């Protein structure tokens, strides 16, 4: 059984969502519930911290695209932070690196 941990904090006006575990069909509902209202509630945007995410599937990519679209319509940004290993490869192969803001750490996000 898959598990995901979702924690939130504020940083430089951003809502940072720290994720840990696998982003798959078993865990995506919990993530959608946590992220759904953020586009309207956040000040400057959202940073998804994927440093401790070991796997993501196409539904997780779709969710990232939806969040990106929702934030962009309000002149806010989505930043993907700390992607590594398999997750980084998926973002690269799917072309997501071409239009999402990918950062190594939260400190790399310009305020």
């Amino acid at each position: 059984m898959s598990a995901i941990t979702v924690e939130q904090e504020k940083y430089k006006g951003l809502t940072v969502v720290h994720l840990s575990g696998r982003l798959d069909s078993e865990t995506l509902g919990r993530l959608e519930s946590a992220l759904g209202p953020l586009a309207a509630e956040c000040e400057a945007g959202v940073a998804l911290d994927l440093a401790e995410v070991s796997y993501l599937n196409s539904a997780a990519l779709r969710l990232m695209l939806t969040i990106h679209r929702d934030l962009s319509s309000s002149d806010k940004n989505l930043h993907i932070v700390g992607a590594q290993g398999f997750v980084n490869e998926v973002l690269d192969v799917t072309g997501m690196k071409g239009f999402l803001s990918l950062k190594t750490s939260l400190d790399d996000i310009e305020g």
Side-chain angles (χ1 to χ4, degrees), residues 12-53:
K12 293 184 178 180
L14 296 168
T15 299
V16 180
V17 182
H18 299 280
L19 303 172
S20 177
R22 294 173 54 93
L23 299 179
D24 58 25
S25 57
E26 291 183 33
T27 61
L28 209 56
R30 180 158 184 238
L31 182 59
E32 285 178 306
S33 295
L35 297 178
L38 289 183
E41 296 173 357
C42 67
E43 295 172 40
V46 174
L48 290 182
D49 179 1
L50 303 183
E52 295 185 25
V53 173

Side-chain angles (χ1 to χ4, degrees), residues 57-75:
N57 67 7
S58 60
L61 294 174
R62 179 187 50 79
L63 178 59
M64 286 182 206
L65 289 172
T66 300
I67 295 165
H68 172 71
R69 182 196 66 219
D70 292 347
L71 289 168
S72 293
S73 69
S74 301
D75 292 324

